[in-house]
Amino acid sequence: MAALVTVGEFSRLTHLSVKTLHHYHEIGLLAPVSVDPSSGYRRYGTTQVDTALLIRRLRELRMPLAEVRELVETPDSARREETLRAHLERMEQELAHTRDVVTSLREMLTPGQPALDVDYRFVPAFRAYGVRDQVEREQIGPWCERTFGRLGAIGAEYGILATPGATYSDDFFTEDTGEVVAFLPVAPDQVPADGVEIVDLPGGFFAIGVHSGPLNDFDRTYGALGSHVAEHCQVAPGPIRELYVVSPGDVDDPAAWRTEICWPIQRIPAPKG
Amino acid sequence: MAALVTVGEFSRLTHLSVKTLHHYHEIGLLAPVSVDPSSGYRRYGTTQVDTALLIRRLRELRMPLAEVRELVETPDSARREETLRAHLERMEQELAHTRDVVTSLREMLTPGQPALDVDYRFVPAFRAYGVRDQVEREQIGPWCERTFGRLGAIGAEYGILATPGATYSDDFFTEDTGEVVAFLPVAPDQVPADGVEIVDLPGGFFAIGVHSGPLNDFDRTYGALGSHVAEHCQVAPGPIRELYVVSPGDVDDPAAWRTEICWPIQRIPAPKG
DNA sequence: ATTGACTCTCCGGTTACCGGAGGGTGGAGG
DNA sequence: CCTCCACCCTCCGGTAACCGGAGAGTCAAT
């Protein structure tokens, strides 16, 4: 009953190019019903149109072919829904991200960025409750939310008033994934607590820049501080620290947020004449 | 004043990977201030951090590097704004498109599509006012709006009540760009009008499927009709026609829209016993 | 002088195809 | 039956924007 058609015809039915259909055949995503053994001509069935259109739709959503395959090969409709929903969530996230980037771009193109002033400080070694994890750049938002939620709860339990912070390994920035340690300073004799470890952070000199306001141009402050350090100081080994002086957990208004970025340096540079 | 740093350091300042920086150097988008002639080591200036971050932001918006280059190399801020705005517009468009695709996907994954019934008809040759253009798939929406706006205005002027339509060359679907002719039938002795040509559409047999409702799953109706034709008819050469029986220009409610898709066939097939 | 962290270039691979060369097929017309 | 033309095949290379790794050179400190 279902007629067999050539690639060209199938292409017209599905609005997928012949090249694309060849490709899908090659990778085994959408194989024709039969292939003439002598001529190599592909024959598609008209019942495949629906599958082809489904694939086309998913591709329009920029879904990678690997996921598309997973989806079209899964007969279980619950799991299909699941995969799809996950993808949509990613797209929503991307969209939100886009909006952020756009606003920060606007600020960037209209010049007049205020100069960052940098503070030098010696920070003694201290002990803290810590949560250590290998985190991907993209996941850092949710991770922080979870982790500082937990740390905050423990802090409240023990009546700790210290400012929380985190250290970020270089890899985290350059490889898009690396070790992050969220910490909440405690007294040296503090008892262990559930779900967190005790970490000892080394002391040293730091160049410190303060980022105020929403986080969408955080990297500019970061770059400005880094530039300053490169120009005026000798960097020291060790991860960069951030101190969340006023964080999203404290107040809702993004304008009030304050983060201190602490860049390890060898010593405090001599002021210029 | 501005210190020179190595790629690695610059990478840390900008959160661009070393590989990426190499790439940008190679294509001349962001060249280091100097390159050591003996060792080949790159030296970046801290003043380049801002440019690098700008590039990073634009890339996060998926802007192609060619455009990014255009933008960062343009000192004229008006033109920069222009390029940026154009890009944002494209993204908005893409977003809207995404929403459409998603809704139609939902419908697709929950089965139960009503069978399309196909009508056979002989359509005599007729004359029409026509607008012929080479159109890209992506541009078809705005193009139709413009073109049918114009045709509608001319039709109103002459008191023409006919149903407008369009023909689409095969290339339009398979190559993503091809000839489209929007037409509005007129009497054979109709006088020429400004901005449109007189076209004569050949008569013949057609298999006709009606698509009702919003256009987001238009291609499914299209595929269903094509499948039907492949199974029951012999196709005839010539472009596919669409007749806009009830179009967005007539009513705002998408549910009321009706489009007839006309697939050229050799003859009306004999009904099956 | 050696270590170890860093850097260089070059080559290949990735994803989802597109374009074209060079050659075989299939049905229609002469 | 032959020829034509549209269609089809495979194979090769290219695209964008990088990533990964090999093999080798470099820098600063110990």
Side-chain angles (χ1 to χ4, degrees), chain A residues 187-261:
Chain A
D189 56 355
Q190 179 74 25
V191 297
D194 246 24
V196 297
E197 51 181 307
I198 298 279
V199 293
D200 281 308
L201 284 108
F205 292 99
F206 290 90
I208 294 174
V210 178
H211 178 86
S212 303
L215 298 172
N216 54 23
D217 55 350
F218 191 76
D219 56 348
R220 295 190 72 199
T221 305
Y222 197 98
L225 176 62
S227 297
H228 178 100
V229 168
E231 284 167 45
H232 302 103
C233 316
Q234 278 190 286
V235 307
I240 282 167
R241 294 180 191 175
E242 293 177 8
L243 294 178
Y244 304 110
V245 182
V246 182
S247 73
D250 301 320
V251 292
D252 284 339
D253 177 22
W257 296 344
R258 282 168 62 83
T259 305
E260 291 185 357
I261 309 173

Side-chain angles (χ1 to χ4, degrees), chain B residues 14-32:
Chain B
T14 59
H15 300 169
L16 291 165
S17 78
V18 172
K19 286 287 184 185
T20 303
L21 290 170
H22 282 181
H23 184 58
Y24 291 170
H25 182 194
E26 193 172 288
I27 65 171
L29 173 61
L30 182 65

Side-chain angles (χ1 to χ4, degrees), chain A residues 40-57:
Chain A
Y41 277 32
R42 293 163 177 85
R43 297 286 160 178
Y44 290 86
T46 49
T47 52
Q48 298 184 283
V49 171
D50 265 15
T51 310
L53 289 179
L54 173 59
I55 294 172
R56 197 165 81 95
R57 279 204 172 56

Side-chain angles (χ1 to χ4, degrees), chain B residues 17 19-20 23-24 36 38-39 41 59 63-65:
Chain B
S17 78
K19 286 287 184 185
T20 303
H23 184 58
Y24 291 170
D36 186 310
S38 79
S39 70
Y41 276 32
R59 283 298 303 143
M63 185 183 279
L65 282 183

